[in-house]
Amino acid sequence: MAQHELVEKVAHVLHVAAAEAARNDGERREILGDAIMPAAHAGTAGGDDRPVGRRALGIGGQKRVDRRSEPLRVGVVGGGGDREQNQYGGKAFRHGVFPWVRPVRGYNGPDVHAMTKGISRHLPVIGVMRSYRREDLPHDLIAGAVVGMLTVPQAVAYALLAGLPAEAGLYACLAPMVIHALLSSSRQLIVGPVAIAALMVASTISQHAPAYPEAYLDIAMVLSLQVGLVLWLLRLLQVGGIVNLLSHPVVSGFVNGAAILIIVSQLQAFTGVGRITTSFGDGALSHAAALVGSLAEIKWPALALGTASLLLMAVVRRGTPALLGRWRREGSEVRGSHALTRTGPVLAVVLTTVAVALLDLKVDVVGTFPGGLPALTVPVLDAQLWLDVAPNAVLIALVAFVESYSVGRTLASRQRQRIDSHQELLALGAANIGAALSGAYPVAGSFSRSSLNYASGARSPVAALVCAVLIVATLLWLTPLFALLPKAALAAVVIAAVFELTDFRSVRRDWRFYRPDTVTHFATFAGVLVLGVEAGLVIGVGVSIVLFMRGSARPHIAVVGRLGDTPHFRNVERYPVRTWPNLLAVRIDESFYFANADTVESRLAELLDAPEPDDVEHLLIVMSAVNFIDTTGLEMLERLTDRLQRRGVVLDLCEVKGPVRDQLEHVALKDWLTGEVFQTTDDAFNALTDAEGRWVWREHET
């Protein structure tokens, strides 16, 4: 209360000072409690030369505000809400979420908004809270509560998937979620444990467990810290574009393969069989073979609980929209993204736990684990461990950022907003560092929880903070309830979650549109299933690069001619065009570099050696698609010029882009080029075809 009283006194003093200044200047102003009214011009109303009347000033009659008058002054303190721009670029607020802080008129001091602009650029939550409205709070509270109910069972399930204690999953939802909410430019993205990251952590742990026994959590914490540092390094070097190496077919094949691998790995807990000795690095086939050999150990109560959980989640997911549709109002629509369709995992966990308690079923359960908030933990500083897991951390960082940025961008596009990729690198890196310091493992943006957050009506990162509060409550008071939670139900939760990530429908479309992408998809998919997640991802990236190089090494080369009497030029094999026997115009649809230089030179030689253009005097290269030339490409042009000169053919260039022209100027192009450099193809044809009678029609042959 003392702080409130102090702020009110300061506001009152500034109010009085502003009113006194207005009277001294001969101006008539009115200060209205919570509302900010624009000041009227001295001696005028509405900006014209008429005197200010009593009604125009709101005196002795109905109050009226003339919005055409002079700009607003800066308010000292204001909550979010309706806002208007002042003459200094600052914001004046009214009816904010903090009604006891009232804006002050007549204050012409430093612009607080301008002073905090640099801070809010790196702390987007400041901008969000500046515009936060009181009516946004109920939406965020509901969304945060709904997401929290889904997060708790998923967090425990993903921790067990990663081979870590159950509490590590809940820790991964606390500090990382709060840090990301403060730093992210996305308003609905929820960061925490996800299936793909948990799978990659499990693979890394199984890979290095023999060298570091009983240090699973230490490995996970070092991984998380390295992931955060890698993301920060990408932000510092501004090379976030490196994630583009993970093209859509690579990511799609990786996710599909990882989903199958996760489902196969969860069948052990789903059926209740004993421990399987194979690791994630062995691939899904070896894991499935080991599971088949253990069919005699199936525990039927566990299988029944898992199957019932899957059926319940499917019924809730698909049946809720139809059920709610019976009570929907006319003109409204209940879609599959409704928040209630995501309550299946919560119901499955609660009902199966009750069933185990009441029926005394002998199945594997989560058991008790320590409650309370996580303590500040420093990852082990073992140089050899850091070096061993560094490659895995790089791959996890790339996959986590691609997954998070894709989800955030998708949600932002639905609201016609955009997110900052550089800020997301900073936010996700800080979230992973927070996970490392709180005893957790690498985190990423969750597709299922972020979609649920959006569908539940979240309007700001406040929803993520509400979700974090529920995690705190769970850690403090609800951990005993997990003692009888069957692992079969958690396995069903994981299976249902990753099944939604699979996407095989796009493969057929990719095959019709661009077949190399399909090859990349299946190479990545097979690599993950057979060799493991890291090897499969590396194979996918390698195959995509090889196929890209293969395509660019064989560029499309077209002979072009004039389209009628227009200044446009098209491929002679596609359009009826006019050509000139002594001029061969060729468009090369690729840059000149080491991978295609010899191919381009050979193809041009074939065109010149063809029997039809036996009297060619000029070879015109249309360079509209050439974005750069490396030294190998430059040597190719010089060899081609000498080769043509010996045949009596002149080499000309046209439509050279600015950066390429700058490159060529550095090597004295005019000293060795036998022809000219023309601005457009039309200029080149006009200059090189001086006899109209020598035009020849070339018809497109189908």
Side-chain angles (χ1 to χ4, degrees), residues 147-161:
V147 174
M149 289 189 293
L150 175 64
T151 300
V152 172
Q154 281 192 351
V156 175
Y158 292 154
L160 299 180
L161 171 62

Side-chain angles (χ1 to χ4, degrees), residues 54-128:
R54 293 172 59 86
R55 291 187 179 272
L57 291 174
I59 302 174
Q62 184 178 2
K63 297 179 181 179
R64 183 176 65 184
V65 178
D66 189 353
R67 296 289 181 182
R68 297 174 297 175
S69 55
E70 69 170 291
L72 293 170
R73 300 296 182 185
V74 181
V76 174
V77 182
D82 297 337
R83 56 189 182 183
E84 297 180 65
Q85 189 75 20
N86 62 43
Q87 61 184 357
Y88 298 102
K91 304 294 182 182
F93 304 92
R94 58 178 177 177
H95 307 305
V97 293
F98 308 109
W100 53 272
V101 181
R102 299 184 178 183
V104 180
R105 297 192 50 88
Y107 177 73
N108 292 319
D111 185 1
V112 178
H113 175 71
M115 294 172 60
T116 59
K117 185 176 181 181
I119 300 177
S120 61
R121 185 185 302 115
H122 300 291
L123 201 61
V125 71
I126 294 179
V128 173

